[in-house]
Structures are given as structure tokens and as C-alpha cells.
Amino acid sequence: MVVRQESSLAPAEFRAAVAAMRAAPLRPEVFCEEMPAPQRIAPYAAALSADVTVDETDVGTGRLILLHDPDGNDAWDGTFRCVAYCRAEVELELVADPMLAHVGWSWLTDALEAHGAAHTAASGTVTRVATESFGGMAEDGGTAQVEVRASWTPIAAPDSPDGPAGLDITPHVEAWGELLCAASGLEPVPEGVVVLPSRRGQRGTPGR
């Protein structure tokens, strides 16, 4: 299968979803740009990559892939699928905490709920990684990371006046951005506070 990314031949619903994906507002700490979509997964695909940067230091990274199969996919329970990845540094002692994986998964589910990203068939994994240094590198100390890999099927909000045609990818991209920030240790934005949007394409070729 050859993946056909956005083009004039792509279905209108996919082109609209990609446009929303590109325009979705993210926090200013998230530096986001387009990346090549993986091949042979779905007839149509688009992808974003992002780094979370605080004081010019990268504290988290991730990617979001939007898949579309107009004929539907039984495993997805729909025609679209979001596939997300997130990796961030955490305190070394947290790796031993048995609740870390549950907390990591809640970062995603809470973000989807907070942004009103209606979905179904969510699945994924949370991986804890600890690295110890020895010999000449012993002074470097240990490091730890948490990785979240997840996928879910975006659906139209229950109150959408347009039914299935009312599918909006924007809240799903926002939720992914929120996942990146939560994993990276950023405090949630207080309710009612408007944040400046992120700057796109800061690293590499601009996505637009």
C-alpha cells in the first residue's frame, strides 16, 4: 500500500482534517512542525512532530499521526485513527513508583476529556526507562524517562449538529499537546487564561 498524503485527490474529509491539524493551537512551549507520515499503514496519512522547550532546553518530545481509510477499519471502529507518541524526562526515583504508568495514561485521558475530544477504542502503553552510568561516566548520574504510546479513534461530538460529518480533529491535536506538556512537568494553564499560540516550523523546513 502506498500512503497518499494530502493532495487534491484526497477525500475532502481528510483534507479538512489535515487543515485543522495544522491550525490547532498549542502552548508556546511546544515547537511543532510537519513530518513525513509513515508508509503502508493507511491509504491517507499526515503527521506532526513536536518538542517541548523550557528556557531553551528540550524537556519532552513527541509525534502525532493522523490516519484515514475511507472504507473504514474494523480495528479502528471508524475511518480515522490518531496515533500519538510522547517521551519526557522524569525524576529518577519516580521510575520505581508503581503508579507512574497509571499517571502517564491519565495524562492522555484527562487531556482528551478536558479538550472535548470525543473518541472511542483507545489503547496504548506507558513505558518507564531508567539509565545508570558506570566507570568513567559514573559522575553523570542516572536518568529516567517515561514514554506514552497511544492510539484512539476520533469521533464527532455527541452534540454535533452535523452528525459524523461534524468530526473535528482540532481538540485531538490540542489534547496531544497537553499530553506533551503534562509529561514534561509543565503546570496546567489556569482556566480562563488565554495562552499565546506556539510558533510552527521553528526547527527545519516550515510546515506551511
Side-chain angles (χ1 to χ4, degrees):
M1 177 188 296
V2 177
V3 174
R4 293 163 286 179
Q5 299 189 39
E6 190 202 11
S7 71
S8 59
L9 299 179
E13 59 267 32
F14 176 71
R15 287 186 278 117
V18 172
M21 188 178 183
R22 290 171 172 166
L26 299 172
R27 288 177 55 166
E29 297 91 345
V30 180
F31 290 82
C32 182
E33 59 189 355
E34 292 181 56
M35 63 175 285
Q39 304 293 305
R40 302 181 184 280
I41 300 179
Y44 300 94
L48 298 174
S49 66
D51 293 318
V52 180
T53 304
V54 177
D55 296 330
E56 300 185 353
T57 299
D58 290 342
V59 294
T61 188
R63 58 182 178 268
L64 178 67
I65 303 167
L66 178 66
L67 306 174
H68 178 53
D69 187 339
D71 296 329
N73 186 307
D74 291 340
W76 301 351
D77 193 22
T79 60
F80 281 93
R81 188 74 172 171
C82 292
V83 181
Y85 169 75
C86 166
R87 185 182 76 242
E89 299 286 338
V90 297
E91 297 294 332
L92 186 59
E93 57 268 22
L94 290 179
V95 172
D97 189 338
M99 291 302 296
L100 179 59
H102 297 279
V103 171
W105 186 250
S106 72
W107 292 333
L108 172 66
T109 56
D110 290 351
L112 290 169
E113 180 178 359
H115 289 275
H119 65 283
T120 187
S123 63
T125 62
V126 178
T127 304
R128 297 169 290 174
V129 180
T131 301
E132 296 283 353
S133 300
F134 299 94
M137 298 178 62
E139 294 184 358
D140 293 344
T143 61
Q145 297 176 328
V146 60
E147 296 183 349
V148 180
R149 299 174 185 268
S151 64
W152 64 91
T153 297
I155 59 177
D159 57 353
S160 172
D162 299 322
L167 175 63
D168 183 6
I169 292 298
T170 300
H172 299 271
V173 181
E174 293 174 331
W176 167 67
E178 193 67 29
L179 165 65
L180 294 175
C181 292
S184 300
L186 274 63
E187 292 292 334
V189 176
E191 186 174 354
V193 174
V194 177
V195 298
L196 296 174
S198 67
R199 292 168 287 170
R200 304 301 179 97
Q202 293 296 301
R203 300 171 187 182
T205 304
R208 297 189 183 184

